[in-house]
Amino acid sequence: MARNWLSYAGYMAAAQLLAACSGDPARNTVADSVVQDQNATAPNATAPMAERKLVLAFGDSLYAGYGVAQNESFPRQLEKALQARGEAVEVRNAGVSGETTQGGLQRLAFTLDGLPRKPDLVLLGLGGNDMLRGLDPAQSEKNLREMLDMLKARQVPVLLTGMLAAPNMGAEYAARFNAIYPALAKEYGLPLYPFFLEGVIGNPDYMQADSIHPNPAGVDIVAGKIAPLVAGALRAESAPDGG
């Protein structure tokens, strides 16, 4: 998987992406994301909320839908993929472009408190921007651990979606960064999708011109790959013994 990163347009492109996606976090508030997501038409929009599982997609631009229409974003495509599997589910988009693990930690409680009820599952996908900025993997891991501790305290199940370091970051950095997600998944007993861009990165048919964000076809592939894990996690939590 890691070798696919070599097809990136170089680390300068990643730096340009970071500048383009960051901006003022206030422009990409969670409230805005959720309102946009609610306004999109979903096949199960008429089903009573009480009959639907609530999934919160909490991440960065890969979740938020950078460069694609809101109804083509990962949360929306994931919801469609789950519904196609017969799942009654609503996926809320709480992705913010340019978000780091530190920013995620600062807004997680606010996001959870703003939901109509406790989510049945949180998809946590942060760390990519930490890597692009060259932030210390130890700090990224600490921030992710604090988020997981918060979710555990609230008794909210989590599915982690991981990221891999670009080769430009060097072997030592990559070894430290790439170990974060498997280690946390093992420590907390969480399901893990190891690399969010698996199956699309490096293929121009599935990537936007920046070679970093998937286009609608790529998002559809990612959502299709992750949907079975989400369905399994939801069913495990709804089992009488909790799994």
Side-chain angles (χ1 to χ4, degrees):
M1 293 185 295
R3 65 177 180 274
N4 290 334
W5 283 82
L6 295 173
S7 61
Y8 271 24
Y11 190 65
M12 287 305 296
Q16 292 169 359
L17 164 73
L18 186 64
C21 291
S22 297
D24 182 358
R27 293 188 302 107
N28 292 304
T29 62
V30 176
D32 290 341
S33 298
V34 172
V35 167
Q36 290 172 353
D37 199 47
Q38 287 176 308
N39 288 339
T41 301
N44 68 347
T46 59
M49 182 61 189
E51 298 179 7
R52 285 178 275 159
K53 298 289 187 179
L54 178 59
V55 175
L56 180 70
F58 190 82
D60 51 29
S61 59
L62 294 173
Y63 278 25
Y66 178 85
V68 301
Q70 188 62 30
N71 65 355
E72 298 169 331
S73 68
F74 168 68
R76 180 58 62 200
Q77 293 292 74
L78 177 63
E79 182 177 277
K80 292 178 182 177
L82 288 166
Q83 290 169 354
R85 296 174 61 89
E87 303 289 340
V89 63
E90 176 184 359
V91 182
R92 293 289 184 101
N93 188 344
V96 172
S97 293
E99 187 78 289
T100 62
T101 57
Q102 182 63 45
L105 177 59
Q106 292 172 347
R107 71 180 174 94
L108 179 55
F110 171 80
T111 304
L112 294 169
D113 292 342
L115 294 173
R117 62 179 176 83
K118 185 175 75 172
D120 297 284
L121 182 69
V122 168
L123 270 65
L124 182 58
L126 288 168
N129 286 306
D130 295 45
M131 181 270 294
L132 291 178
R133 296 182 183 188
L135 301 181
D136 184 358
Q139 185 61 49
S140 301
E141 183 175 359
K142 179 177 181 294
N143 293 335
L144 287 167
R145 179 174 280 106
E146 289 188 30
M147 282 185 270
L148 292 176
D149 286 340
M150 183 187 303
L151 291 164
K152 183 177 181 179
R154 292 180 180 232
Q155 298 183 317
V156 177
V158 180
L159 188 155
L160 273 176
T161 62
M163 183 53 58
L164 294 175
N168 312 69
M169 301 305 297
E172 181 181 354
Y173 185 94
R176 296 174 61 210
F177 181 86
N178 294 348
I180 292 175
Y181 302 95
L184 289 176
K186 181 177 181 180
E187 178 181 345
Y188 287 85
L190 305 176
L192 169 68
Y193 188 77
F195 183 35
F196 186 84
L197 295 173
E198 173 66 24
V200 300
I201 190 70
N203 189 329
D205 291 337
Y206 301 136
M207 299 298 290
Q208 296 182 40
D210 62 20
S211 298
I212 297 176
H213 292 95
N215 61 23
V219 174
D220 186 55
I221 289 175
V222 173
K225 287 175 173 287
I226 294 178
L229 285 178
V230 174
L234 289 172
R235 288 173 181 170
E237 291 302 324
S238 62
D241 62 354

